Amino acid sequence: MRDFKATRAPEPNAKGLKLRVQLLFGLFLLLLGVAFGRAVQLQVFEQEKLRGMAQDQYVRQIEIPARRGDIFDRRGAPLAQSVEVDSIWVDPSMLPDVRQSARAMAKVLKVDAEELTARLTRAKRFAWVKRQAKPQEVAAVKELGLPGLGFTKEPKRFYPQRELGAHVVGTVGLDGKGLEGLELAFEDELSGQNSRMSGFRDAKGRKLLVQGALDPLQRQGAAVTLTLDRHLQYVAEKALAKAVEDAKGVAGMVVALDPKTGELLALANYPRFNPNTPESSSRAGMRNRAALDTFEPGSTLKPLVVATALDEKAITSESVFFCENGAWRIGRHTINDHGSHGWLAPRDILRTSSNICMAKIAQVLGREKMVAGYHAFGFTERTGLSLPGEGRGVIPFPKAEVSLATQSFGQGMTATAVQIAAGIGALANDGVLMRPYLVSKVVDPDGVVLLENRPTEVRRAVSAKVAREVVGMLESVVGKGGTATRAFMEEYRVAGKTGTAQKADPVARGYSDKRIGSFVGMVPAEDPRIVILVVVDEPKTDVYGGFVAAPAFKEIATAAMAHLAVPPSRTAAPGSAVAAASPAPAAAKPVAKATEPVRPVLVEADSESPDLGTVRVPDVQGAGGREAVVKLLAAALEPQVQGSGRVVSQTPAAGSLVEKGARVTLELAARQ
């Protein structure tokens, strides 16, 4: 039977269907080729770019800030440390109501609500709420239960001694960078190196570390050890504050250094500030005036001119000068003394602080030699304290006669407080000028010493014989008839010099009625262990350094002798040194040498103390922390305080016999 279906001719649309199939196959083949080509492009040519974009979605390079290095005093007491605290941030896009949330957070954090609202409104995915927040503030914010909040650890600078040494140590900003003082000067060493680690983040943007925590030592800056002594710094700041407040002055400075080594033991400024709350102080109030500012020193420089004249053999200790009975005219200017004096020898010129006779010594010495003498004692050159902005002072060459006269008693020139103390320190060190230094050493966390300062001789300013001779003359300044009787100490011989300088008026281009009262002294005079300079700026109750600055010197020196365990000097009556040097005419008798040994005053030993080098621990139970520290310092003991409040226990016990300088641990607690 014939199959008619097999012999039927193909329908016309069958050819079109085949064509469409072929076209569709070709289209799919083309798309496959395009997809393959695109895959090749992405996998081969854009591989690195896309990998970076992908990692950017879930991988972050997390920066781990380095822990800032600590700053210590000479005995290891911390002056600046870093602690880990929480900083609060938020993802504003996750907040249900930005304005309401900002107000809620501002209320518990006690910050400006409008400012916080504006900050969160401007941000998209990240905004700081408060950096370096207190623990109670962090807890209060967590209790709000707001979405999108985050907390991250940041190092915060903490100053455990509060105002103590604040002008020297300086401050840091919220970013942890140094702003003032040593924090700024040693920024590179203290800050260390920040570390970077790879980490994932989850859907909420929270960071998750994928590496183990780094070694803390790798994230820590170097430690800086100073020459400052915490206890002497405390006494200096306390005495200076009292001196300035009693004199109703505007500011003050204290410099205490070891003349044999150049180490600065105390560097105090007034007004004080708390570096833990720097926002409450002005930048001017944070300035370390004692090291950075220059001013006209006044009569504190007279001993240096006398020493230079003696060393150059322009005068002798027996030379006498007529002081014109208190007034001497040079051209259109008149030089005045504080009293009416006739013929005086160098010892009495320093004792009475005669400007006129000092001017006459300068005339005999000559301009070139006087200026060279100032340079030899370290003036006009920076001392190199490692502090940014340190002053160097200016000494213009005295072409005019009146300039020669004024520069002989410390006017018409400028210097820093450290330069003055170092210059007088050269006399105390038998004529050798030592380089003052503040930083003892800088040590890496692994123990590598990056910087170490040691006692360094700068130059010999005058001979040892002349230096001892002038120091002997300066003992008369604190004796009967001297200008600084308030600096006299019963158990120690003191040598020093007062200064009362006029302040320049930059507007009127002359001198104003404002003064700077100062006193610089060394103790004990026969073998100086410390040189102390006290400066009171613009005193109002009395302008003379012997009244406003000398008592503060005595208070600091008394504490220093006890703290350094210096045995009492061979003392003499207050007027004995002066009696040996009375005013005389040209044929005056030679002035007695002040360095001549004086018979010692016998001190009866305490029958209960078997050794003069020992003391009994005072009873400070129940006393406040500051009161207890003062009592222990006065007893030549080193206090170590634990806690805050009042003393609840002390070790060793009260009445125990210990060596001078021994450490007494005090445990303090607040009253319940």
Side-chain angles (χ1 to χ4, degrees):
M1 185 176 189
R2 188 176 181 182
D3 188 359
F4 290 99
K5 291 183 179 180
T7 59
R8 183 183 300 173
E11 297 180 2
N13 57 356
K15 292 183 179 180
L17 180 60
K18 183 179 180 181
L19 179 61
R20 285 196 298 271
V21 171
Q22 291 176 345
L23 290 175
L24 186 59
F25 177 76
L27 179 60
F28 278 121
L29 189 61
L30 177 62
L31 292 176
L32 183 60
V34 171
F36 180 76
R38 180 61 175 163
V40 171
Q41 180 186 12
L42 295 178
Q43 293 295 326
V44 178
F45 299 103
E46 297 186 12
Q47 179 184 14
E48 295 300 325
K49 176 183 176 182
L50 294 176
R51 179 180 295 155
M53 293 175 64
Q55 290 180 348
D56 189 55
Q57 297 294 321
Y58 61 90
V59 177
R60 282 287 184 269
Q61 286 294 318
I62 303 170
E63 185 174 53
I64 309 297
R67 181 182 181 276
R68 197 170 179 85
D70 297 336
I71 300 178
F72 302 99
D73 84 331
R74 66 188 298 113
R75 298 175 183 267
L79 301 177
Q81 294 178 306
S82 291
V83 294
E84 295 277 321
V85 297
D86 282 310
S87 289
I88 309 170
W89 59 273
V90 69
D91 182 348
S93 66
M94 299 181 66
L95 295 174
D97 188 328
V98 173
R99 182 173 296 275
Q100 185 177 355
S101 300
R103 287 179 178 175
M105 289 187 289
K107 183 177 180 180
V108 298
L109 293 173
K110 294 180 174 56
V111 298
D112 185 77
E114 295 300 325
E115 192 275 334
L116 180 57
T117 302
R119 195 187 322 146
L120 299 188
T121 303
R122 289 192 303 267
K124 293 182 180 180
R125 299 300 304 272
F126 177 89
W128 287 113
V129 177
K130 186 170 185 180
R131 301 185 69 178
Q132 299 179 355
K134 298 177 181 177
Q136 56 268 31
E137 292 175 335
V138 173
V141 171
K142 287 181 178 179
E143 288 180 0
L144 296 176
L146 296 173
L149 282 174
F151 304 89
T152 184
K153 293 289 185 182
E154 285 193 304
K156 180 182 180 181
R157 205 60 165 164
F158 173 64
Y159 302 92
Q161 310 297 332
R162 296 169 60 85
E163 294 88 351
L164 194 70
H167 294 87
V168 176
V169 175
T171 59
V172 299
L174 280 177
D175 58 356
K177 303 296 183 183
L179 297 178
E180 294 285 347
L182 294 172
E183 294 278 28
L184 175 60
F186 287 87
E187 170 62 28
D188 293 340
E189 293 82 358
L190 288 168
S191 61
Q193 295 293 326
N194 291 352
S195 304
R196 299 186 70 86
M197 299 178 63
S198 296
F200 290 122
R201 68 173 186 175
D202 62 12
K204 292 185 178 182
R206 293 175 298 194
K207 297 173 181 177
L208 306 171
L209 295 180
V210 297
Q211 296 180 7
L214 295 176
D215 184 352
L217 292 181
Q218 296 178 2
R219 301 194 298 111
Q220 184 171 336
V224 177
T225 302
L226 308 183
T227 61
L228 295 184
D229 187 295
R230 179 184 58 173
H231 303 304
L232 294 183
Q233 182 73 22
Y234 168 75
V235 173
E237 291 186 8
K238 177 174 173 288
L240 177 63
K242 184 177 185 300
V244 176
E245 291 168 2
D246 289 349
K248 293 180 170 55
V250 299
M253 298 170 273
V254 167
V255 177
L257 61 80
D258 185 335
K260 301 182 186 302
T261 64
E263 294 173 292
L264 289 168
L265 303 178
L267 202 63
N269 292 267
Y270 184 90
R272 304 168 74 191
F273 80 98
N274 187 347
N276 292 310
T277 56
E279 64 277 0
S280 61
S281 302
S282 63
R283 289 293 293 268
M286 301 179 189
R287 185 172 177 81
N288 188 353
R289 300 166 182 258
L292 307 183
D293 287 4
T294 60
F295 58 95
E296 298 192 26
S299 298
T300 51
L301 299 193
K302 288 177 180 177
L304 308 184
V305 177
V306 171
T308 302
L310 289 170
D311 198 59
E312 293 289 341
K313 296 182 173 50
I315 64 171
T316 68
S317 60
E318 300 177 2
S319 300
V320 290
F321 296 86
F322 184 54
C323 299
E324 306 291 339
N325 296 318
W328 186 37
R329 192 164 184 82
I330 300 179
R332 297 182 294 106
H333 304 276
T334 301
I335 306 297
N336 295 295
D337 279 346
H338 299 303
S340 178
H341 307 295
W343 293 90
L344 296 179
R347 176 191 295 269
D348 295 318
I349 293 172
L350 294 175
R351 176 177 60 84
T352 60
S353 197
S354 170
N355 293 336
I356 294 172
C357 281
M358 278 305 308
K360 291 191 174 184
I361 290 178
Q363 285 184 336
V364 175
L365 177 61
R367 293 172 171 78
E368 290 80 4
K369 291 183 179 179
M370 186 185 75
V371 173
Y374 277 136
H375 283 280
F377 280 102
F379 294 91
T380 74
E381 62 185 46
R382 291 187 176 89
T383 57
L385 295 180
S386 302
L387 291 171
E390 181 187 358
R392 59 183 302 171
V394 176
I395 302 180
F397 187 79
K399 296 180 180 179
E401 286 293 327
V402 68
S403 298
L404 176 64
T406 57
Q407 285 187 15
S408 70
F409 48 83
Q411 299 269 191
M413 56 177 290
T414 60
T416 68
V418 174
Q419 286 177 330
I420 299 169
I424 298 298
L427 293 179
N429 191 37
D430 287 341
V432 177
L433 176 68
M434 302 298 292
R435 180 177 67 84
Y437 64 99
L438 181 61
V439 177
S440 175
K441 59 183 177 180
V442 180
V443 183
D444 250 355
D446 56 4
V448 177
V449 178
L450 303 179
L451 171 68
E452 185 172 14
N453 285 317
R454 296 183 179 276
T456 304
E457 292 186 9
V458 179
R459 68 181 69 89
R460 173 168 289 282
V462 293
S463 68
K465 178 183 178 182
V466 166
R468 287 192 289 268
E469 193 172 10
V470 174
V471 170
M473 294 178 184
L474 292 178
E475 287 193 70
S476 66
V477 175
V478 301
K480 185 177 180 180
T483 57
T485 55
R486 297 189 179 190
F488 176 78
M489 299 174 65
E490 294 290 342
E491 295 184 341
Y492 297 92
R493 290 167 56 185
V494 178
K497 184 69 187 75
T498 55
T500 306
Q502 290 179 283
K503 291 190 71 173
D505 187 339
V507 178
R509 295 182 179 275
Y511 286 98
S512 66
D513 58 351
K514 298 175 181 179
R515 299 289 190 274
I516 296 178
S518 59
F519 179 81
V520 60
M522 60 192 79
V523 60
E526 71 277 10
D527 183 21
R529 292 288 303 277
I530 191 171
V531 171
I532 304 169
L533 168 67
V534 181
V535 180
V536 178
D537 192 8
E538 297 185 21
K540 296 178 178 60
T541 57
D542 201 312
V543 298
Y544 297 112
F547 290 94
V548 299
F553 164 87
K554 181 177 180 179
E555 182 177 348
I556 299 169
T558 301
M561 294 298 95
H563 185 63
L564 299 175
V566 179
S569 303
R570 296 174 295 176
T571 57
S576 62
V578 180
S582 57
K589 295 181 180 180
V591 178
K593 294 182 180 179
T595 53
E596 183 178 347
V598 182
R599 293 190 62 183
V601 176
L602 297 178
V603 181
E604 293 185 4
D606 189 341
S607 59
E608 296 181 354
S609 301
D611 188 356
L612 289 177
T614 61
V615 294
R616 292 199 177 275
V617 179
D619 185 3
V620 293
Q621 289 275 4
R626 181 165 295 186
E627 179 185 353
V629 168
V630 172
K631 285 184 178 180
L632 292 176
L633 288 176
L637 298 171
E638 180 184 347
Q640 183 177 22
V641 180
Q642 298 176 352
S644 61
R646 293 190 171 275
V647 180
V648 295
S649 69
Q650 62 181 89
T651 306
S656 301
L657 196 63
V658 298
E659 294 183 357
K660 286 185 177 181
R663 178 173 294 180
V664 178
T665 302
L666 304 178
E667 184 178 347
L668 278 62
R671 290 181 175 177
Q672 299 298 325

